[in-house]
Amino acid sequence: LASLDKLPSSAYNKYAPIEEAVSSVITAGLYPNVAHCTKQCVDTTPSLFAKDEKLWFHKSSVNYNKRRQCDSEWVVFHEKFATSKTFVSTTTFVQPFSLLLFGESVVVRHTERKVIIDDWIVLHIPAQAGVMFRELRRKLSTLLKERMDGEDFKKQTDTIINGLVHLLRIEARDL
């Protein structure tokens, strides 16, 4: 068998080694299955909420044993099911900028320094970041639609995607 290192690389895997880009792709696939992770005090299990619904990490979740430490305020999940409680499994922590890329509506509240996604995801970030991501999403959506219609704007699309990945990496570095 050939070594994986010797296989030709695909242009589609350009961002595969960049964890922030992979996390954003996972967010895209699982959105709108988002939960907010809050900690009341150091020795307690974090609380998860999807809108107003209380959730718990299922013991099969990779994050179950990390219950005392939230890697981020936000979690995306694949499945939600109820037994004695409402549980989530197949979960991963995601950063706020990834959520900005995939929400339906993005409302920027300049004076409050917050951005609200889909009427319930509240991000306490500078308004400029919310406006910038909203505009980047709009431009990227336009370019992708034109590309699906057969027009070739590969260079413009690549420029926007490179910019988005750069912003995701900056966010991760600043945390």
Side-chain angles (χ1 to χ4, degrees):
L1 293 174
S3 168
L4 289 178
D5 294 335
K6 295 179 184 176
L7 292 175
S9 179
S10 168
Y12 298 110
N13 291 332
K14 178 178 179 178
Y15 298 107
I18 301 172
E19 185 177 331
E20 299 83 13
V22 173
S23 178
S24 285
V25 170
I26 292 169
T27 303
L30 296 177
Y31 197 91
N33 294 341
V34 178
H36 188 224
C37 180
T38 61
K39 295 236 349 147
Q40 309 304 330
C41 61
V42 176
D43 293 331
T44 62
T45 301
S47 297
L48 294 175
F49 292 93
K51 296 186 181 176
D52 295 327
E53 182 180 16
K54 175 89 166 95
L55 306 172
W56 283 263
F57 286 118
H58 189 264
K59 63 183 175 182
S60 68
S61 171
V62 70
N63 289 308
Y64 179 78
N65 289 328
K66 294 183 185 179
R67 293 178 309 182
R68 296 181 187 267
Q69 171 192 353
C70 291
D71 295 338
S72 167
E73 268 187 269
W74 300 98
V75 176
V76 292
F77 57 90
H78 180 255
E79 67 183 327
K80 175 174 71 170
F81 53 93
T83 55
S84 59
K85 299 176 183 176
T86 304
F87 292 100
V88 292
S89 64
T90 317
T91 62
T92 189
F93 287 95
V94 296
Q95 298 305 321
F97 284 1
S98 293
L99 296 171
L100 274 170
L101 293 173
F102 303 107
E104 273 300 304
S105 71
V106 176
V107 176
V108 179
R109 299 236 172 112
H110 295 271
T111 57
E112 299 172 45
R113 293 183 49 90
K114 67 181 174 183
V115 176
I116 303 170
I117 305 168
D118 293 342
D119 300 322
W120 78 275
I121 299 172
V122 179
L123 305 178
H124 296 281
I125 61 173
Q128 298 114 321
V131 170
M132 181 176 56
F133 267 90
R134 186 174 59 197
E135 294 308 310
L136 281 169
R137 283 182 48 215
R138 188 173 295 145
K139 182 66 174 168
L140 182 59
S141 293
T142 300
L143 288 172
L144 290 174
K145 182 183 180 322
E146 289 170 350
R147 202 153 175 198
M148 286 189 289
D149 290 342
E151 300 175 41
D152 188 15
F153 292 97
K154 183 173 178 4
K155 185 173 181 173
Q156 288 177 333
T157 305
D158 287 348
T159 300
I160 290 176
I161 292 173
N162 287 338
L164 288 171
V165 169
H166 181 70
L167 290 170
L168 293 168
R169 294 182 92 177
I170 288 171
E171 177 192 34
R173 185 187 66 212
D174 290 346
L175 294 177

